[in-house]
């Protein structure tokens, strides 16, 4: 699968989980969904940072560099919010507030990737390279799933 398609699929999955949390009142279920979101985001940002963004850098333009720098900073902010969540009671009002902030952050970041970074990659890196990068990422995802099992 093309790298950009794999990443879009993961964005969709995380967005769907955020919607589910929003509709869930039960604290235990909220916590479960939250853990799943955290796990999916961790592997997603890892394959982007270790495999995808370095490939994007190959484009070699200032615009590409700028986008990647910004993306790393946004991942960093996501990490900060994720790190706090385990300490918040899912029944607490603050849990919902934090989830809203996190979901808006992720949504904004994912939309920017899909609307700006990915189209640039499809134009400049080409299909074969994107397929190759996609395969590398897929292998990393599978390796992390094996470790988790
Ligand atoms: Fe990202
Ligand atoms: Fe992403």
């Amino acid at each position: 699968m093309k790298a950009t398609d794999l990443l879009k699929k993961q964005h969709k999955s995380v967005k769907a989980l955020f919607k589910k949390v929003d509709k869930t009142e039960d604290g235990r279920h909220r916590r479960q969904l939250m853990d799943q979101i955290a796990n999916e985001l961790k592997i997603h940002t890892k394959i982007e940072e270790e495999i995808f963004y370095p490939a994007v850098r190959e484009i070699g333009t200032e615009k590409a560099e700028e986008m990647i720098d910004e993306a790393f900073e946004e991942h960093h902010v996501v990490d900060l919010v994720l790190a706090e969540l385990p300490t918040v009671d899912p029944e607490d009002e603050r849990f919902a507030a934090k989830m809203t902030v996190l979901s808006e952050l992720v949504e904004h970041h994912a939309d920017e990737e899909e609307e700006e970074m990915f189209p640039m990659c499809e134009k400049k890196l080409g299909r074969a390279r994107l397929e190759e990068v996609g395969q590398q990422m897929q292998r990393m995802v599978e390796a992390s799933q094996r470790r988790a099992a």
Side-chain angles (χ1 to χ4, degrees):
M1 192 188 298
K2 276 197 305 184
T4 43
D5 290 338
L6 172 66
L7 294 173
K8 275 189 229 170
K9 218 173 90 185
Q10 293 184 339
H11 289 167
K12 231 175 137 182
S13 163
V14 172
K15 284 182 188 174
L17 286 170
F18 275 120
K19 283 218 176 71
K20 266 197 201 165
V21 180
D22 212 30
K23 289 196 198 107
T24 307
E25 298 288 331
D26 176 63
R28 257 187 40 209
H29 192 208
R30 274 186 172 181
R31 171 61 67 200
Q32 262 171 14
L33 288 165
M34 185 48 241
D35 290 344
Q36 205 184 334
I37 288 172
N39 287 335
E40 290 195 11
L41 282 175
K42 272 181 205 151
I43 183 67
H44 180 76
T45 53
K46 184 178 160 77
I47 63 176
E48 283 187 339
E49 291 181 9
E50 293 183 15
I51 301 173
F52 186 67
Y53 294 164
V56 180
R57 265 191 221 283
E58 291 165 14
I59 294 173
T61 60
E62 209 169 302
K63 181 78 191 151
E65 287 293 326
E66 243 176 58
M67 274 185 200
I68 296 162
D69 290 344
E70 198 184 311
F72 268 103
E73 290 309 317
E74 287 177 348
H75 283 189
H76 175 64
V77 179
V78 168
D79 282 344
L80 292 177
V81 182
L82 278 180
E84 277 190 358
L85 280 171
T87 64
V88 183
D89 178 359
E91 310 273 6
D92 194 313
E93 285 169 18
R94 286 177 58 231
F95 183 87
K98 269 192 201 300
M99 287 305 291
T100 302
V101 170
L102 182 64
S103 101
E104 283 170 359
L105 212 68
V106 168
E107 194 136 330
H108 159 84
H109 174 73
D111 288 348
E112 247 178 23
E113 287 181 337
E114 292 186 19
E115 285 159 24
E116 294 178 31
M117 190 189 281
F118 294 179
M120 181 181 74
C121 292
E122 299 194 340
K123 221 162 90 192
K124 308 256 178 181
L125 289 174
R127 187 175 188 105
R129 181 72 184 121
L130 284 175
E131 291 276 357
E132 188 180 52
V133 174
Q135 262 175 28
Q136 285 172 16
M137 292 196 296
Q138 187 62 42
R139 276 199 294 274
M140 192 178 267
V141 171
E142 281 160 15
S144 91
Q145 282 164 347
R146 274 198 301 276
R147 268 196 306 277

